[in-house]
Amino acid sequence: MNFISDISKKEFPQSEKVLAKLVRKPIIELIKRDNPDFDENCHLALSELNDYRERYISEFLQREVGQLDDLEKRVVQAMRDKSLVSGNPDEDEDTANLTLGQRVADKVADFGGSWTFIISFVIFLLVWIFINAFVFFNKGFDPYPFILLNLILSCVAALQAPVIMMSQNRQEEKDRSRAKNDYMVNLKSELEIRLLHEKLDHLILHQEQTLIEVQKVQIDMMNDILARVEKKED
């Protein structure tokens, strides 16, 4: 069995029927802005009620925060689509759009901060010193005090400093992306909790109304029984 909504004038299943008097007043006021004739005696569908709840939250954000920025819009849209709002910044990053310097900085940061680099560099130094000191008896291409080796180490240190700064900038970009994800997750959680409270309030009011109706039916039944007993006594 279906019913016709007083908002859209469309048919909906009876299971989605919601009494207007069970809806919270802020939502009712929002509905009346679009439908001035809507009052507590009207009915609407649960899907329509959820749409107005989302509009109410959006307007609440506009009042509290001002203009909705891109992050809040993404959160509200994710709630409507029932999709995830967060992701892994490391996986979501488009490596094709990275510049050569960014890719080099990432690779150098990964390799330069590993034990592989430390062990490899120590082995290189030992081999360099061993060849010049013991193989060529300090008469090779870089005799003691290894001036060429010191020059190479100075060049590596000079190049390594700006590369490290670039890698730090890249890490800060990823941290900002993670912070945005955390903000959107927290915002969506707060909005979901608000919606959950709305739904719980609706369920509680609906149950109270149902219990009242059941009690009225029971009272009517008792009155009928009492009336029959009185008739039999007469």
PDB file of all heavy atoms in Angstrom, residues 135-152:
ATOM      1  N   VAL A 135      97.345  -0.698  -2.116  1.00  0.00           N
ATOM      2  CA  VAL A 135      97.567  -1.290  -3.437  1.00  0.00           C
ATOM      3  C   VAL A 135      98.596  -0.475  -4.209  1.00  0.00           C
ATOM      4  O   VAL A 135      99.565  -1.018  -4.776  1.00  0.00           O
ATOM      5  CB  VAL A 135      96.246  -1.395  -4.216  1.00  0.00           C
ATOM      6  CG1 VAL A 135      96.510  -1.907  -5.622  1.00  0.00           C
ATOM      7  CG2 VAL A 135      95.259  -2.305  -3.484  1.00  0.00           C
ATOM      8  N   PHE A 136      98.386   0.843  -4.252  1.00  0.00           N
ATOM      9  CA  PHE A 136      99.331   1.711  -4.975  1.00  0.00           C
ATOM     10  C   PHE A 136     100.403   2.320  -4.062  1.00  0.00           C
ATOM     11  O   PHE A 136     101.178   3.165  -4.495  1.00  0.00           O
ATOM     12  CB  PHE A 136      98.565   2.848  -5.681  1.00  0.00           C
ATOM     13  CG  PHE A 136      97.626   2.361  -6.759  1.00  0.00           C
ATOM     14  CD1 PHE A 136      96.255   2.499  -6.614  1.00  0.00           C
ATOM     15  CD2 PHE A 136      98.121   1.749  -7.893  1.00  0.00           C
ATOM     16  CE1 PHE A 136      95.387   2.038  -7.601  1.00  0.00           C
ATOM     17  CE2 PHE A 136      97.250   1.304  -8.883  1.00  0.00           C
ATOM     18  CZ  PHE A 136      95.886   1.443  -8.741  1.00  0.00           C
ATOM     19  N   PHE A 137     100.416   1.865  -2.807  1.00  0.00           N
ATOM     20  CA  PHE A 137     101.426   2.312  -1.838  1.00  0.00           C
ATOM     21  C   PHE A 137     101.531   3.835  -1.777  1.00  0.00           C
ATOM     22  O   PHE A 137     102.614   4.423  -1.845  1.00  0.00           O
ATOM     23  CB  PHE A 137     102.807   1.706  -2.173  1.00  0.00           C
ATOM     24  CG  PHE A 137     102.789   0.213  -2.146  1.00  0.00           C
ATOM     25  CD1 PHE A 137     102.758  -0.503  -3.338  1.00  0.00           C
ATOM     26  CD2 PHE A 137     102.790  -0.485  -0.943  1.00  0.00           C
ATOM     27  CE1 PHE A 137     102.741  -1.881  -3.324  1.00  0.00           C
ATOM     28  CE2 PHE A 137     102.776  -1.880  -0.935  1.00  0.00           C
ATOM     29  CZ  PHE A 137     102.739  -2.585  -2.127  1.00  0.00           C
ATOM     30  N   ASN A 138     100.373   4.442  -1.668  1.00  0.00           N
ATOM     31  CA  ASN A 138     100.255   5.888  -1.503  1.00  0.00           C
ATOM     32  C   ASN A 138     100.836   6.670  -2.676  1.00  0.00           C
ATOM     33  O   ASN A 138     101.249   7.820  -2.519  1.00  0.00           O
ATOM     34  CB  ASN A 138     100.943   6.333  -0.207  1.00  0.00           C
ATOM     35  CG  ASN A 138     100.220   7.508   0.436  1.00  0.00           C
ATOM     36  OD1 ASN A 138      99.049   7.733   0.189  1.00  0.00           O
ATOM     37  ND2 ASN A 138     100.929   8.266   1.243  1.00  0.00           N
ATOM     38  N   LYS A 139     100.830   6.028  -3.881  1.00  0.00           N
ATOM     39  CA  LYS A 139     101.309   6.710  -5.084  1.00  0.00           C
ATOM     40  C   LYS A 139     100.290   6.625  -6.215  1.00  0.00           C
ATOM     41  O   LYS A 139     100.627   6.785  -7.381  1.00  0.00           O
ATOM     42  CB  LYS A 139     102.632   6.090  -5.554  1.00  0.00           C
ATOM     43  CG  LYS A 139     103.782   6.269  -4.576  1.00  0.00           C
ATOM     44  CD  LYS A 139     105.060   5.644  -5.100  1.00  0.00           C
ATOM     45  CE  LYS A 139     106.212   5.799  -4.112  1.00  0.00           C
ATOM     46  NZ  LYS A 139     107.472   5.171  -4.625  1.00  0.00           N
ATOM     47  N   GLY A 140      99.051   6.355  -5.848  1.00  0.00           N
ATOM     48  CA  GLY A 140      98.016   6.186  -6.865  1.00  0.00           C
ATOM     49  C   GLY A 140      97.407   7.503  -7.288  1.00  0.00           C
ATOM     50  O   GLY A 140      98.020   8.568  -7.194  1.00  0.00           O
ATOM     51  N   PHE A 141      96.142   7.422  -7.744  1.00  0.00           N
ATOM     52  CA  PHE A 141      95.471   8.606  -8.277  1.00  0.00           C
ATOM     53  C   PHE A 141      95.055   9.577  -7.168  1.00  0.00           C
ATOM     54  O   PHE A 141      94.754  10.727  -7.431  1.00  0.00           O
ATOM     55  CB  PHE A 141      94.241   8.193  -9.109  1.00  0.00           C
ATOM     56  CG  PHE A 141      93.291   7.296  -8.355  1.00  0.00           C
ATOM     57  CD1 PHE A 141      92.284   7.827  -7.566  1.00  0.00           C
ATOM     58  CD2 PHE A 141      93.413   5.919  -8.447  1.00  0.00           C
ATOM     59  CE1 PHE A 141      91.411   6.999  -6.877  1.00  0.00           C
ATOM     60  CE2 PHE A 141      92.536   5.090  -7.766  1.00  0.00           C
ATOM     61  CZ  PHE A 141      91.535   5.622  -6.969  1.00  0.00           C
ATOM     62  N   ASP A 142      95.012   9.126  -5.890  1.00  0.00           N
ATOM     63  CA  ASP A 142      94.651  10.015  -4.786  1.00  0.00           C
ATOM     64  C   ASP A 142      95.447   9.610  -3.545  1.00  0.00           C
ATOM     65  O   ASP A 142      94.911   8.975  -2.623  1.00  0.00           O
ATOM     66  CB  ASP A 142      93.144   9.946  -4.500  1.00  0.00           C
ATOM     67  CG  ASP A 142      92.711  10.991  -3.487  1.00  0.00           C
ATOM     68  OD1 ASP A 142      93.399  12.012  -3.330  1.00  0.00           O
ATOM     69  OD2 ASP A 142      91.659  10.780  -2.850  1.00  0.00           O
ATOM     70  N   PRO A 143      96.736   9.980  -3.482  1.00  0.00           N
ATOM     71  CA  PRO A 143      97.552   9.588  -2.334  1.00  0.00           C
ATOM     72  C   PRO A 143      97.125  10.313  -1.064  1.00  0.00           C
ATOM     73  O   PRO A 143      96.379  11.295  -1.113  1.00  0.00           O
ATOM     74  CB  PRO A 143      98.966   9.993  -2.754  1.00  0.00           C
ATOM     75  CG  PRO A 143      98.763  11.103  -3.717  1.00  0.00           C
ATOM     76  CD  PRO A 143      97.502  10.783  -4.459  1.00  0.00           C
ATOM     77  N   TYR A 144      97.589   9.800   0.055  1.00  0.00           N
ATOM     78  CA  TYR A 144      97.317  10.437   1.338  1.00  0.00           C
ATOM     79  C   TYR A 144      97.793  11.886   1.285  1.00  0.00           C
ATOM     80  O   TYR A 144      98.874  12.146   0.732  1.00  0.00           O
ATOM     81  CB  TYR A 144      98.071   9.667   2.436  1.00  0.00           C
ATOM     82  CG  TYR A 144      97.824  10.223   3.821  1.00  0.00           C
ATOM     83  CD1 TYR A 144      96.715   9.861   4.541  1.00  0.00           C
ATOM     84  CD2 TYR A 144      98.736  11.126   4.390  1.00  0.00           C
ATOM     85  CE1 TYR A 144      96.499  10.369   5.818  1.00  0.00           C
ATOM     86  CE2 TYR A 144      98.530  11.639   5.662  1.00  0.00           C
ATOM     87  CZ  TYR A 144      97.398  11.264   6.362  1.00  0.00           C
ATOM     88  OH  TYR A 144      97.187  11.770   7.618  1.00  0.00           O
ATOM     89  N   PRO A 145      96.994  12.854   1.775  1.00  0.00           N
ATOM     90  CA  PRO A 145      95.777  12.784   2.632  1.00  0.00           C
ATOM     91  C   PRO A 145      94.471  12.751   1.865  1.00  0.00           C
ATOM     92  O   PRO A 145      93.474  13.339   2.320  1.00  0.00           O
ATOM     93  CB  PRO A 145      95.900  14.045   3.470  1.00  0.00           C
ATOM     94  CG  PRO A 145      96.524  15.044   2.565  1.00  0.00           C
ATOM     95  CD  PRO A 145      97.480  14.257   1.708  1.00  0.00           C
ATOM     96  N   PHE A 146      94.441  12.145   0.674  1.00  0.00           N
ATOM     97  CA  PHE A 146      93.212  11.893  -0.082  1.00  0.00           C
ATOM     98  C   PHE A 146      92.465  13.196  -0.407  1.00  0.00           C
ATOM     99  O   PHE A 146      91.295  13.395  -0.029  1.00  0.00           O
ATOM    100  CB  PHE A 146      92.282  10.938   0.679  1.00  0.00           C
ATOM    101  CG  PHE A 146      92.990   9.721   1.186  1.00  0.00           C
ATOM    102  CD1 PHE A 146      93.151   9.509   2.557  1.00  0.00           C
ATOM    103  CD2 PHE A 146      93.534   8.792   0.311  1.00  0.00           C
ATOM    104  CE1 PHE A 146      93.796   8.383   3.024  1.00  0.00           C
ATOM    105  CE2 PHE A 146      94.185   7.657   0.787  1.00  0.00           C
ATOM    106  CZ  PHE A 146      94.326   7.450   2.150  1.00  0.00           C
ATOM    107  N   ILE A 147      93.135  14.068  -1.090  1.00  0.00           N
ATOM    108  CA  ILE A 147      92.544  15.379  -1.429  1.00  0.00           C
ATOM    109  C   ILE A 147      91.359  15.216  -2.374  1.00  0.00           C
ATOM    110  O   ILE A 147      90.331  15.885  -2.239  1.00  0.00           O
ATOM    111  CB  ILE A 147      93.621  16.285  -2.055  1.00  0.00           C
ATOM    112  CG1 ILE A 147      94.733  16.541  -1.033  1.00  0.00           C
ATOM    113  CG2 ILE A 147      93.006  17.599  -2.523  1.00  0.00           C
ATOM    114  CD1 ILE A 147      95.899  17.324  -1.593  1.00  0.00           C
ATOM    115  N   LEU A 148      91.489  14.319  -3.352  1.00  0.00           N
ATOM    116  CA  LEU A 148      90.382  14.093  -4.294  1.00  0.00           C
ATOM    117  C   LEU A 148      89.154  13.553  -3.588  1.00  0.00           C
ATOM    118  O   LEU A 148      88.019  13.960  -3.883  1.00  0.00           O
ATOM    119  CB  LEU A 148      90.826  13.134  -5.399  1.00  0.00           C
ATOM    120  CG  LEU A 148      89.772  12.804  -6.469  1.00  0.00           C
ATOM    121  CD1 LEU A 148      89.299  14.074  -7.159  1.00  0.00           C
ATOM    122  CD2 LEU A 148      90.335  11.812  -7.488  1.00  0.00           C
ATOM    123  N   LEU A 149      89.386  12.657  -2.633  1.00  0.00           N
ATOM    124  CA  LEU A 149      88.260  12.105  -1.871  1.00  0.00           C
ATOM    125  C   LEU A 149      87.572  13.203  -1.058  1.00  0.00           C
ATOM    126  O   LEU A 149      86.330  13.252  -0.987  1.00  0.00           O
ATOM    127  CB  LEU A 149      88.753  10.991  -0.948  1.00  0.00           C
ATOM    128  CG  LEU A 149      87.695  10.330  -0.057  1.00  0.00           C
ATOM    129  CD1 LEU A 149      86.596   9.699  -0.897  1.00  0.00           C
ATOM    130  CD2 LEU A 149      88.336   9.292   0.863  1.00  0.00           C
ATOM    131  N   ASN A 150      88.358  14.086  -0.443  1.00  0.00           N
ATOM    132  CA  ASN A 150      87.768  15.203   0.314  1.00  0.00           C
ATOM    133  C   ASN A 150      86.957  16.123  -0.599  1.00  0.00           C
ATOM    134  O   ASN A 150      85.891  16.639  -0.206  1.00  0.00           O
ATOM    135  CB  ASN A 150      88.873  16.005   1.007  1.00  0.00           C
ATOM    136  CG  ASN A 150      89.488  15.223   2.161  1.00  0.00           C
ATOM    137  OD1 ASN A 150      88.798  14.458   2.829  1.00  0.00           O
ATOM    138  ND2 ASN A 150      90.780  15.414   2.400  1.00  0.00           N
ATOM    139  N   LEU A 151      87.468  16.332  -1.839  1.00  0.00           N
ATOM    140  CA  LEU A 151      86.732  17.164  -2.784  1.00  0.00           C
ATOM    141  C   LEU A 151      85.396  16.516  -3.154  1.00  0.00           C
ATOM    142  O   LEU A 151      84.361  17.186  -3.233  1.00  0.00           O
ATOM    143  CB  LEU A 151      87.582  17.388  -4.038  1.00  0.00           C
ATOM    144  CG  LEU A 151      86.918  18.206  -5.164  1.00  0.00           C
ATOM    145  CD1 LEU A 151      86.574  19.607  -4.665  1.00  0.00           C
ATOM    146  CD2 LEU A 151      87.830  18.266  -6.376  1.00  0.00           C
ATOM    147  N   ILE A 152      85.423  15.203  -3.371  1.00  0.00           N
ATOM    148  CA  ILE A 152      84.181  14.483  -3.701  1.00  0.00           C
ATOM    149  C   ILE A 152      83.188  14.564  -2.551  1.00  0.00           C
ATOM    150  O   ILE A 152      81.986  14.809  -2.748  1.00  0.00           O
ATOM    151  CB  ILE A 152      84.492  13.021  -4.063  1.00  0.00           C
ATOM    152  CG1 ILE A 152      85.299  12.955  -5.358  1.00  0.00           C
ATOM    153  CG2 ILE A 152      83.203  12.214  -4.193  1.00  0.00           C
ATOM    154  CD1 ILE A 152      85.765  11.571  -5.720  1.00  0.00           C
TER     155      ILE A 152
END
